[in-house]
Amino acid sequence: TNQFGRVFQDRTHTFKVKQRPEEYRNQRIVNYNVRGRRGNIVQIYPSVEYDFVPTELTVERGTYLHFQWTGSDANDKNADGNGKAGTDRSNLVQIA
């Protein structure tokens, strides 16, 4: 069948851009994101498998990190990956 006209991306996310608080005006803030979703590359196309953005990050003392990621309890139950079936989660572990 002709699949070219169909859209599979989830476009329901919204966000607000706010003015930076005064106490952080001159501070370095790094936006650190998780991208991708649970499953192998064939199952999740056109998305990507999990990755962090930026992929490499060096942080100096005094730098603020702004973590952003989303998860879902509505993931296909047959998607490959680790964890509870039907979920799509990311984890962060402090090592230093």
Side-chain angles (χ1 to χ4, degrees):
T1 62
N2 184 347
Q3 299 290 314
F4 293 113
R6 296 181 66 185
V7 176
F8 296 94
Q9 294 92 354
D10 178 1
R11 298 179 184 192
T12 60
H13 295 83
T14 61
F15 65 93
K16 291 183 180 181
V17 177
K18 298 172 83 175
Q19 195 69 249
R20 184 183 286 199
E22 190 63 39
E23 62 267 25
Y24 301 108
R25 289 265 185 245
N26 297 318
Q27 302 297 323
R28 179 177 182 227
I29 301 175
V30 177
N31 191 25
Y32 198 61
N33 295 277
V34 171
R35 69 175 176 173
R37 57 184 288 200
R38 179 178 176 165
N40 66 44
I41 196 68
V42 174
Q43 291 173 318
I44 62 173
Y45 182 83
S47 187
V48 296
E49 296 176 84
Y50 282 124
D51 194 7
F52 288 96
V53 179
T55 55
E56 294 185 23
L57 178 63
T58 301
V59 179
E60 298 81 20
R61 184 176 297 273
T63 298
Y64 290 88
L65 294 177
H66 179 223
F67 291 94
Q68 287 186 338
W69 68 83
T70 61
S72 172
D73 285 331
N75 192 40
D76 293 334
K77 296 201 183 301
N78 66 345
D80 291 338
N82 297 315
K84 183 178 177 184
T87 64
D88 189 13
R89 304 280 173 89
S90 303
N91 296 306
L92 182 70
V93 178
Q94 181 176 337
I95 58 174

